[in-house]
Amino acid sequence: MKILSNFCFFQCYNRPTCTQRTLEFVISHITIPFISQLSESEQQEWLSKLNKAMPELNILLASDIPQHQREFCQIAIVADPDPTQVSKFKGLKWIQSLWAGVEGLMKAFKEPSFSLVRLIDPHLGKTMAEAVLAWTLYLHRDMPAYRQQQAIKQWRQLEYTSAEDRTIGFLGLGALGQISAENLAQQGFNVLGWSQKEKVIKGIETYCDESGLKAMLAKCDIVICLLPLTPNTRHLLNAERFSYLPKGASVINFARGGIIQNEDLIEKLNSGHLKHAVLDVFEQEPLSSNSVYWQHDKITVLPHISAPTNPDTACEIVTANIQEYFKSGLIPPTVSMAKGY
Ligand code: NAP
């Protein structure tokens, strides 16, 4: 039945002879694989939410779809999928990710036969902006230093710097970077931002290209990374780029671990050139128990928590994208394989 139904959909979709009833019947038997490496219980939670939001579709764990039906699946919903599982679905037209970062799939499929849609969720932007504010204030108000003073029972007031005198630079002004930068500007910080293309954003001084990066970093007290991980951004923050920062600057990485050259970061922290690093993302997650990061007094380790996907809002967005596709045939905006994000 499912083979026939998925096949029927291709046959009748967009044909004038296809009645609403036929279309509804056909859609009601369309199977969408959910492909993920999340735990069994997390996968079941997602499946339950997604099937509730789209009762007209059949969203199943990839492993529950028989091999002979897989080639008829047009759409897959994924969350950190194993690429080999994805490649078992040879007829996919597009893939909807439940996560904002899709560098794993882009690396695995250099020239994919499907389009890739990442999660763009305004709620995620707000969550990230909140995390950026929280950890910027943590550094701005010297919380790591006060924590260390408490450990040795030291009563000492450090010099206060006002937000207006603190310059924060954003690497990446996309869906998450721009809202986070605007939020800090509203809090009174002096905010700068660097992106691939030139941008005009009210209240933010913007930069692009390598000379712009150097000029921006030279002014930053705190630099916040919200770039995607691409061949161009891998190890972008290395010894040379760190040396452009003024002595005593701090770094927040909420994007991907691979953007920072680990040894160079440690060397710049140990030498005193950098004051502190807040790291939420790592090349290997969970962070290995023998990583030097855990014990380093100038590093704050976070377990990838700055902007978790909100299942309710993500589900609404994915549902709207899929329903729109079945209504109009339009695939939502996709990531650019050429740009790498
Ligand atoms: P996005 O909308 O694609 O924005 C990426 C930004 O980076 C854009 O401003 C882009 O410039 C800029 N950019 C990309 N490559 C560049 C380069 N080579 N040089 C200069 N600028 C470059 O991405 P997003 O949704 O804001 O997400 C950013 C990253 O956050 C994701 O890729 C993911 O890794 C991470 N993330 C982390 C968490 C967490 O919990 N830690 C949660 C969600 C996402 P243009 O604007 O000119 O294109």
Side-chain angles (χ1 to χ4, degrees):
M1 169 62 96
K2 295 232 177 72
I3 298 177
L4 183 66
S5 300
N6 282 296
F7 181 69
C8 279
F9 176 79
F10 295 125
Q11 295 300 304
C12 84
Y13 180 66
N14 269 349
R15 284 200 182 171
T17 49
C18 173
T19 66
Q20 184 66 23
R21 251 186 100 214
T22 320
L23 197 57
E24 276 168 14
F25 171 79
V26 171
I27 287 177
S28 71
H29 289 84
I30 285 181
T31 301
I32 294 187
F34 178 72
I35 313 173
S36 154
Q37 299 184 84
L38 297 172
S39 70
E40 184 64 35
S41 63
E42 286 172 310
Q43 293 194 40
Q44 289 305 335
E45 269 175 48
W46 273 111
L47 275 182
S48 146
K49 252 184 206 310
L50 290 164
N51 278 307
K52 205 165 154 202
M54 292 174 269
E56 68 279 19
L57 298 172
N58 239 338
I59 304 164
L60 298 173
L61 284 182
S63 53
D64 290 344
I65 301 175
Q67 200 172 347
H68 61 276
Q69 287 191 19
R70 291 181 182 165
E71 65 183 290
F72 299 105
C73 297
Q74 285 186 54
I75 309 170
I77 300 174
V78 305
D80 185 27
D82 173 351
T84 56
Q85 293 301 318
V86 175
S87 59
K88 289 180 181 164
F89 292 83
K90 305 228 179 288
L92 290 177
K93 279 197 167 28
W94 61 285
I95 290 183
Q96 171 72 62
S97 172
L98 294 172
W99 289 5
V102 287
E103 68 285 341
L105 279 176
M106 296 189 83
K107 197 173 163 204
F109 296 94
K110 296 271 183 297
E111 288 177 8
S113 52
F114 50 78
S115 300
L116 188 51
V117 177
R118 68 192 189 92
L119 182 70
I120 300 182
D121 180 353
H123 190 280
L124 195 71
K126 281 191 197 160
T127 312
M128 183 57 90
E130 181 188 78
V132 164
L133 175 62
W135 298 102
T136 299
L137 291 176
Y138 169 81
L139 296 171
H140 168 60
R141 296 304 302 261
D142 290 316
M143 291 193 215
Y146 285 119
R147 180 76 205 129
Q148 283 170 17
Q149 288 188 188
Q150 185 178 342
I152 54 168
K153 300 179 183 169
Q154 185 181 34
W155 183 273
R156 180 171 159 239
Q157 291 158 353
L158 300 171
E159 196 183 329
Y160 171 73
T161 301
S162 68
E164 293 73 23
D165 293 326
R166 201 72 90 179
T167 299
I168 319 289
F170 280 81
L171 299 173
L173 290 169
L176 304 180
Q178 181 166 340
I179 184 175
S180 303
E182 287 170 334
N183 191 37
L184 285 195
Q186 279 160 17
Q187 300 297 322
F189 290 99
N190 182 31
V191 181
L192 320 176
W194 183 70
S195 57
Q196 181 95 291
K197 299 184 294 277
E198 273 183 46
K199 279 191 200 293
V200 178
I201 305 173
K202 197 167 169 260
I204 295 164
E205 200 175 295
T206 54
Y207 299 78
C208 57
D209 65 42
E210 185 62 34
S211 61
L213 177 62
K214 189 172 180 179
M216 185 184 90
L217 290 177
K219 298 180 184 175
C220 292
D221 297 306
I222 300 172
V223 64
I224 300 173
C225 181
L226 278 171
L227 290 166
L229 179 61
T230 69
N232 291 332
T233 64
R234 175 167 290 281
H235 293 172
L236 182 118
L237 287 175
N238 58 14
E240 185 184 351
R241 271 37 171 278
F242 285 134
S243 73
Y244 300 157
L245 288 163
K247 189 173 181 325
S250 294
V251 175
I252 297 178
N253 187 10
F254 283 166
R256 286 294 180 261
I259 299 169
I260 288 186
Q261 221 296 334
N262 295 332
E263 292 76 22
D264 292 356
L265 174 68
I266 298 286
E267 197 278 315
K268 293 290 178 193
L269 287 166
N270 289 345
S271 71
H273 180 69
L274 293 180
K275 189 172 178 187
H276 200 88
V278 176
L279 306 175
D280 184 43
V281 285
F282 304 89
E283 292 207 63
Q284 188 201 330
E285 293 183 12
L287 185 60
S288 117
S289 59
N290 55 19
S291 168
V292 293
Y293 286 164
W294 287 113
Q295 303 295 336
H296 203 293
D297 60 359
K298 292 182 179 172
I299 293 180
T300 298
V301 170
L302 301 172
H304 204 135
I305 45 78
S306 53
T309 294
N310 177 306
D312 293 328
T313 55
C315 208
E316 275 171 32
I317 286 162
V318 169
T319 302
N321 284 350
I322 292 176
Q323 286 176 343
E324 178 59 32
Y325 174 70
F326 283 130
K327 206 169 87 198
S328 65
L330 287 177
I331 297 175
T334 59
V335 294
S336 156
M337 289 292 161
K339 283 199 300 179
Y341 65 98

